[in-house]
């Protein structure tokens, strides 16, 4: 593991495998007798490793970062060795209390109000589902969980911008709202939710006899790190009594940097807020921080206490099994604690600042190049652009094809990994700068590879 973390930059970022290549090399049935560890580890090295995509490579610019760090890996090993279930205080008191402590630390680091209490969920998808279910319960006076949706739940609606993450669609399906009750609010030229459009949609739905239950605002959208105007959205939610959930899965880490905190204006008025330390805060997957203002709404929604889980301390302690969907819980607070203590707040701030500065620098190179075009603002570590040489005219269909070919060619080098999205219908290449070991030279190389591929097209 130590060798890997030291040498990962020498490996190709992506593997040269085709579908089925790994499966073909492995026996279909399990061994009857146990095998020596040496054989197992040889297969890991020779069959599994060549089929891995290296998210912790410094030239990883795909999706959003999925970082780890030595401190986090060591904590994860200890967690596995302890193998504790952290569902109740009594099933591992230190795990519960460390979760309370570290979530308090995160709240303070992000500058969130004291009114928020935190709990670790596995992913932002789960946290958003938890928020949607809590909103559903509050909007039905806690009757949906008791009587089913048919009585009071059939007329609930949810609002999110057209740029919101797919976990909102999934959550709306699972929480029983029905996808037809998810309203997609229009966005402005910066891909941020239009507050007046939200206001009109909510008013129209109320007039039609529907019950607006939840707005999901995004800080740092997945396609382009667009920032919804949470303060304006919060004002509407307060006026209409609608639950406001803020999804800052990637961007949340940036709130630890004072000069970036302006992106989070209004989050103090949210009912819930989620961000993923497993993206940009050096904590290995999975670790998602969910903060909620009304702890009682959460507990009333999720609490179920069977006799076999009752303990004598229940009145005095926190039982995190009541704070979400799953019963059994991993000891995730340990890696958070190790990381924050190892790097310190200043160390984590420096990392975010470095990535944001590199992204601005790359954005500058793109803006100064006549053949390339920046496709969205760059408030954080993500740069969206496309190749658009002046001699080609501006036929979007043709440019889409050209940029798809460009991306394929760049990724075929296996020296970097970039992904794409669509913004305003146009095919756009994304460079997400946020891996722990990414330095200026890696961004320079990515930009050089993009330019070389463009020349060769
Ligand atoms: C990554 C991301 C998610 C999903 O995160 P998971 O933890 O993988 O569920 C949700 N919302 C946004 C904006 C994201 O960028």
């Amino acid at each position: 593991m130590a060798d890997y973390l030291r040498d990962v930059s020498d490996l190709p970022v992506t593997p040269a495998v085709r579908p089925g290549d790994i499966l073909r090399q492995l026996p279909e049935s399990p061994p009857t007798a146990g095998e020596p560890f040496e054989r197992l580890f040889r297969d890991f090295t020779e069959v599994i490793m060549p089929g891995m995509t290296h998210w912790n490579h410094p030239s990883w610019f795909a999706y959003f970062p999925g970082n780890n760090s030595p401190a986090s890996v060591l904590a994860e090993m200890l967690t596995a060795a302890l193998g504790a279930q952290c569902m109740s205080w009594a099933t591992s008191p230190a795990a519960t209390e460390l979760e309370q402590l570290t979530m308090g630390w995160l709240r303070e680091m992000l500058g969130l109000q004291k009114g928020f209490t935190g709990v670790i969920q596995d992913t932002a998808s789960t946290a958003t589902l938890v928020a949607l279910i809590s909103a559903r319960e509050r909007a039905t006076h806690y009757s949906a969980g008791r009587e089913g949706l048919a009585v009071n739940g059939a007329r609930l609606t949810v609002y999110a911008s057209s740029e919101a993450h797919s976990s909102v669609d999934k959550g709306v399906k699972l929480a029983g709202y029905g996808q037809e009750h998810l309203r997609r609010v229009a966005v402005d030229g910066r891909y941020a939710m239009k507050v007046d459009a939200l206001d009109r949609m909510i008013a129209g739905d109320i007039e039609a006899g529907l019950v607006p239950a939840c707005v999901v605002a995004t800080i740092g959208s997945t396609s382009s790190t667009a920032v919804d105007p949470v303060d304006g959205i919060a004002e509407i939610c307060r006026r209409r009594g609608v639950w406001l959930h803020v999804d800052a899965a990637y961007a949340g880490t940036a709130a630890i940097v004072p000069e970036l905190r302006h992106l989070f204006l209004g989050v103090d008025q949210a009912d819930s807020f989620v961000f993923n330390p497993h993206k940009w805060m050096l904590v290995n997957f999975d670790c998602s921080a969910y903060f909620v203002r009304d702890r009682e709404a959460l507990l009333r929604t999720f609490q179920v206490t069977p006799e076999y889980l009752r303990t004598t301390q229940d009145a005095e302690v926190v039982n995190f099994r009541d704070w979400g969907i799953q019963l059994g819980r991993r000891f995730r607070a340990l890696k958070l604690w190790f990381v924050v203590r190892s790097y310190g707040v200043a160390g984590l701030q420096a990392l975010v600042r470095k990535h944001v500065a590199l992204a601005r620098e790359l954005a500058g190179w793109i803006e100064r190049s006549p053949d390339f075009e920046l496709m969205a603002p760059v408030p954080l570590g993500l740069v969206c652009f496309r190749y658009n040489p002046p001699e080609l005219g501006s036929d979007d269909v043709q440019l889409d094809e050209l940029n798809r070919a460009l991306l394929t060619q760049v990724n075929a080098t296996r020296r970097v990994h970039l992904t794409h999205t669509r913004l305003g219908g146009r095919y756009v290449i994304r460079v997400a700068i946020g891996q722990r070991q990414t330095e200026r030279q890696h961004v320079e190389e990515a930009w050089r590879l993009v330019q070389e591929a463009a020349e060769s097209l």
Side-chain angles (χ1 to χ4, degrees):
M1 286 185 265
D3 294 349
Y4 173 74
L5 291 178
R6 188 192 56 214
D7 300 335
V8 58
S9 66
D10 300 336
L11 299 171
V13 186
T14 45
V17 294
R18 303 180 61 77
D21 277 357
I22 314 298
L23 264 179
R24 248 192 308 280
Q25 298 175 67
L26 299 168
E28 222 169 279
S29 300
T32 306
E35 298 182 63
F37 188 76
E38 292 69 31
R39 271 216 341 246
L40 230 167
F41 199 70
R42 195 190 59 215
D43 283 350
F44 169 76
T45 314
E46 292 173 6
V47 182
I48 304 302
M49 279 303 280
M52 291 306 293
T53 300
H54 298 292
W55 284 68
N56 280 284
H57 193 292
S59 295
W60 177 264
F61 301 110
Y63 310 104
F64 275 139
N67 274 293
N68 65 15
S69 56
S72 184
V73 171
L74 289 171
E76 194 71 283
M77 287 171 72
L78 291 170
T79 296
L82 293 167
Q85 277 292 345
C86 307
M87 50 202 176
S88 312
W89 178 87
T91 63
S92 267
T96 295
E97 294 183 15
L98 196 64
E99 186 160 341
Q100 292 178 291
L101 179 89
T102 50
M103 293 306 278
W105 282 12
L106 284 187
R107 185 179 52 64
E108 188 181 318
M109 287 163 67
L110 267 62
L112 290 175
Q113 260 178 13
K114 285 225 167 64
F116 284 103
T117 349
V119 53
I120 304 180
Q121 307 282 357
D122 53 6
T123 60
S125 302
T126 301
T128 294
L129 175 60
V130 164
L132 286 165
I133 297 173
S134 305
R136 182 195 79 192
E137 286 307 297
R138 199 175 75 177
T140 61
H141 309 287
Y142 301 90
S143 75
R146 197 170 54 240
E147 302 164 22
L149 288 163
V151 183
N152 290 310
R155 301 168 84 75
L156 303 176
T157 48
V158 176
Y159 306 79
S161 92
S162 52
E163 294 291 315
H165 189 260
S166 60
S167 56
V168 180
D169 298 70
K170 201 186 264 188
V172 162
K173 274 167 88 166
L174 295 176
Y177 291 97
Q179 259 189 312
E180 287 177 7
H181 291 123
L182 172 59
R183 307 284 188 250
R184 288 295 196 167
V185 187
V187 293
D188 62 18
R190 301 167 73 85
Y191 303 105
M193 188 191 284
K194 284 185 170 169
V195 177
D196 52 341
L198 172 70
D199 201 19
R200 277 198 305 276
M201 260 180 174
I202 290 183
D205 282 338
I206 291 173
E207 207 154 291
L210 296 161
V211 181
C214 187
V215 174
V216 181
T218 308
I219 296 181
S221 67
T222 311
S223 277
S224 72
T225 60
V227 178
D228 288 345
V230 174
D231 52 341
I233 296 168
E235 190 276 315
I236 298 172
C237 289
R238 199 172 48 237
R239 182 155 41 85
R240 303 288 194 181
V242 178
W243 185 289
L244 173 58
H245 174 61
V246 175
D247 174 4
Y250 154 77
T253 300
I256 66 173
V257 176
E259 68 268 22
L260 294 173
R261 211 169 268 169
H262 63 94
L263 300 170
F264 297 83
L265 197 67
V267 297
D268 272 338
Q269 299 166 68
D271 292 285
S272 52
F273 175 88
V274 64
F275 92 101
N276 285 342
H278 70 223
K279 277 183 170 161
W280 205 3
M281 209 184 259
L282 308 190
V283 180
N284 66 285
F285 192 84
D286 50 2
C287 181
S288 187
Y290 180 64
F291 292 92
V292 66
R293 175 186 298 288
D294 182 357
R295 203 175 104 150
E296 286 315 304
L298 182 71
L299 294 179
R300 266 181 89 174
T301 301
F302 288 97
Q303 198 162 39
V304 175
T305 310
E307 185 54 39
Y308 46 79
L309 290 178
R310 283 187 202 282
T311 67
T312 48
Q313 303 91 2
D314 282 349
E316 320 158 48
V317 298
V318 160
N319 290 319
F320 277 122
R321 66 166 190 271
D322 297 329
W323 293 55
I325 294 166
Q326 60 195 104
L327 169 61
R329 305 177 78 252
R330 283 157 35 68
F331 185 10
R332 296 191 185 87
L334 192 67
K335 54 188 177 182
L336 202 49
W337 193 53
F338 271 38
V339 166
V340 176
R341 289 188 61 183
S342 296
Y343 288 86
V345 177
L348 296 169
Q349 287 170 329
L351 189 88
V352 170
R353 286 192 175 113
K354 179 173 82 176
H355 293 148
V356 172
L358 287 173
R360 299 222 167 120
E361 206 172 1
L362 173 62
W365 300 337
I366 291 168
E367 276 181 317
R368 283 195 293 281
S369 162
D371 291 341
F372 289 87
E373 168 181 27
L374 206 56
M375 298 299 280
V378 182
L380 296 166
L382 175 68
V383 182
C384 295
F385 69 96
R386 70 173 174 176
Y387 179 42
N388 187 358
E391 62 272 20
L392 265 189
S394 52
D395 173 26
D396 274 334
V397 178
Q398 200 187 351
L399 286 175
D400 287 357
E401 275 314 309
L402 190 65
N403 280 278
R404 188 171 311 152
L406 177 70
L407 181 62
T408 305
Q409 197 156 321
V410 170
N411 283 341
T413 65
R414 298 165 63 213
R415 296 197 53 81
V416 296
H417 196 51
L418 320 180
T419 52
H420 79 281
T421 188
R422 273 186 190 274
L423 287 173
R426 301 186 183 99
Y427 188 96
V428 167
I429 297 173
R430 295 166 80 263
V431 177
I433 300 168
Q435 202 282 326
R436 176 171 58 89
Q437 304 193 78
T438 299
E439 297 294 341
R440 192 168 188 271
Q441 75 200 64
H442 303 105
V443 181
E444 283 171 346
E445 189 193 19
W447 177 229
R448 185 172 54 72
L449 291 171
V450 165
Q451 288 173 299
E452 282 172 12
E455 271 162 40
S456 75
L457 282 173

